[in-house]
Amino acid sequence: MQDAESGPGAAPTAAAARHHSIAVVADPESCTWCEACVDICPREAIMLASTAVRVDENACNGCGACVNQCPNGVLELKAV
């Protein structure tokens, strides 16, 4: 998932993955790179890049396991 905003050298921005009317939103500035979200994700939809948390919107099913597992509150589910 690379675009003009997420390519190499891009500034950190909130990542969002949409599944129907739910989005997983990440605040990369609060991330400590513990990988708890990566390990718990049943769809392998979360990746830690050098400057941001990436959520693959095509793989994410909106289950929220990553949100519950994150010790720093980096991820959250939002209605869209």
Side-chain angles (χ1 to χ4, degrees):
M1 179 171 93
Q2 276 198 354
D3 54 35
E5 293 183 86
S6 64
T13 58
R18 286 185 176 77
H19 182 72
H20 302 288
S21 61
I22 297 174
V24 175
V25 180
D27 174 14
E29 296 198 14
S30 300
C31 185
T32 61
W33 313 108
C34 72
E35 297 189 16
C37 59
V38 174
D39 293 339
I40 197 74
C41 181
R43 304 285 303 264
E44 298 181 355
I46 302 174
M47 296 144 283
L48 300 181
S50 61
T51 59
V53 178
R54 304 269 183 245
V55 182
D56 181 342
E57 63 188 48
N58 294 316
C60 177
N61 66 359
C63 71
C66 57
V67 174
N68 295 327
Q69 189 71 13
C70 181
N72 300 306
V74 172
L75 302 164
E76 60 183 303
L77 287 175
K78 295 222 179 209
V80 291

